[in-house]
Amino acid sequence: IQGNGFFILSDGNQEYYTRAGNFSMDTSGRLVYSNGLQLQGWLADNDGNIYTSNPMQGITLPINSTIDPKATSLINLTGNLNSGTANSDSFARNVEVYDSLGNTHILKITFTKTAENQWDYSVVDENGNPVTGGTGNIEFNPANGHLDPASITTINLTYDPTGGAAANQPIQIDLSALTQQHATESNIGYGQDGYEMGYLDTYKIDSSGTVVGVFTNGLTKNIAQIAVANFPNPAGLEKVGETMFRKTSNSGEPDKNVPGVGGCGTISPGTLEMSNVDLSQEFTDMIVTQRGFQANSRIITTSDEMLQELVNLKR
């Protein structure tokens, strides 16, 4: 924790507080301290929303959770079609899309130049079959190379994937970022909003204490929010060992907040707090101990010399 505050731990009956952030996930998915006490906070709902007005509880990661697949509904095309292309020449771009089951399919979008600043387009599936709504033409403004205001900027497809997925999948292709500004080799990139099913792979914690799950399909989702407690008089806490404390009447009641709120510090992910002892006092204690050792070593030397003299007198 960078600033004031303590992590909150619980054994199910009593709360404990610590500055040490060495937490790990046990076999059941619980985030626990080195002694097995569970870290406290607020869990997210199925949509990743976190409500700190809900009761605080132990943080458990859903180790077997998944994210359902999403069928592609929007494709954004970006890039430039070569303004110097000869009539009847074409440029094709394969686009990967997902169906309702999370299966991947390929749509081939072909642009063919028909006249100055005018292009026809066609969309076929991976088997070469035309896709409903996938033919038409676009026109660019010769003054700036962008689509002419009278030209269409969106292609509305009705796609029928194979393999048991839902039929009549609507897909919208946004052409508004497509240009014909440069007489260079045609180059078109794309983005799309579909994805396959994902399994929880790992997790990370940000500076606000949000536990974020990272899934195998590249998506992330909020899992939980770590709580931080602040006290009116932190010096009044009772030490209970293992860098843990317990509240007392002298410490006052804890004020539990999200990190960075209500005077609480923020989280520094991936780091552990350095020792916060009084260095001047520790150096003083070290010097006193060293002087004591030196004095004792001289006493031993003196005693040894006296014994040696006694042995010599006897001889």
Side-chain angles (χ1 to χ4, degrees):
I1 299 176
Q2 186 70 31
N4 297 325
F6 296 81
F7 294 110
I8 306 171
L9 307 173
S10 177
D11 59 5
N13 297 312
Q14 187 171 0
E15 289 184 349
Y16 300 90
Y17 309 94
T18 182
R19 294 278 301 185
N22 51 327
F23 304 109
S24 59
M25 183 177 67
D26 65 12
T27 55
S28 61
R30 303 185 314 147
L31 278 184
V32 296
Y33 191 49
S34 56
N35 57 10
L37 295 183
Q38 191 172 13
L39 181 64
Q40 302 295 294
W42 298 275
L43 298 182
D45 61 18
N46 292 332
D47 297 322
N49 300 313
I50 299 173
Y51 301 100
T52 56
S53 57
N54 292 337
M56 198 173 61
Q57 56 186 301
I59 295 178
T60 300
L61 303 181
I63 53 179
N64 295 317
S65 66
T66 61
I67 289 183
D68 292 334
K70 180 181 183 298
T72 298
S73 61
L74 176 65
I75 299 171
N76 295 296
L77 295 185
T78 59
N80 183 76
L81 291 173
N82 186 355
S83 61
T85 298
N87 292 346
S88 301
D89 284 353
S90 61
F91 174 78
R93 183 70 163 94
N94 289 336
V95 175
E96 188 177 80
V97 298
Y98 293 88
D99 63 23
S100 60
L101 301 179
N103 298 314
T104 58
H105 302 272
I106 299 296
L107 297 182
K108 183 179 180 180
I109 306 173
T110 303
F111 293 92
T112 303
K113 192 170 183 179
T114 56
E116 193 70 23
N117 301 314
Q118 295 182 13
W119 298 71
D120 282 351
Y121 62 82
S122 64
V123 183
V124 299
D125 64 18
E126 50 211 345
N127 298 315
N129 301 315
V131 178
T132 302
T135 57
N137 60 80
I138 57 176
E139 184 174 353
F140 291 94
N141 188 327
N144 57 24
H146 292 279
L147 286 173
D148 191 87
S151 176
I152 68 166
T153 58
T154 302
I155 303 173
N156 294 301
L157 305 177
T158 301
Y159 175 53
D160 285 325
T162 58
N168 299 322
Q169 178 179 336
I171 299 179
Q172 199 175 70
I173 303 178
D174 185 358
L175 306 174
S176 59
L178 205 60
T179 67
Q180 188 199 250
Q181 291 179 311
H182 310 291
T184 57
E185 184 177 355
S186 296
N187 184 31
I188 295 179
Y190 77 93
Q192 58 87 37
D193 62 350
Y195 47 81
E196 61 186 349
M197 174 180 283
Y199 298 88
L200 182 63
D201 181 44
T202 184
Y203 69 94
K204 58 184 179 181
I205 300 174
D206 63 20
S207 60
S208 66
T210 304
V211 183
V212 181
V214 181
F215 291 78
T216 53
N217 59 2
L219 296 180
T220 60
K221 186 170 76 171
N222 293 340
I223 295 176
Q225 171 67 60
I226 295 174
V228 176
N230 206 0
F231 290 86
N233 179 27
L237 291 169
E238 176 190 358
K239 295 181 180 180
V240 293
E242 298 184 87
T243 71
M244 296 191 308
F245 300 87
R246 188 163 47 200
K247 72 176 182 179
T248 66
S249 57
N250 191 26
S251 67
E253 291 297 318
D255 182 19
K256 301 171 183 177
N257 283 302
V258 173
V261 175
C264 295
T266 57
I267 302 294
S268 296
T271 61
L272 290 177
E273 185 173 352
M274 294 179 64
S275 174
N276 55 6
V277 298
D278 186 345
L279 290 179
S280 60
Q281 182 62 46
E282 294 301 314
F283 273 116
T284 301
D285 292 343
M286 182 181 69
I287 293 171
V288 170
T289 302
Q290 183 182 22
R291 295 302 186 194
F293 176 80
Q294 290 175 344
N296 289 333
S297 65
R298 288 174 181 173
I299 292 174
I300 294 173
T301 302
T302 302
S303 299
D304 181 64
E305 290 176 352
M306 291 176 64
L307 290 173
Q308 188 63 40
E309 288 294 329
L310 287 172
V311 171
N312 292 336
L313 287 173
K314 183 179 180 182
R315 289 177 182 175

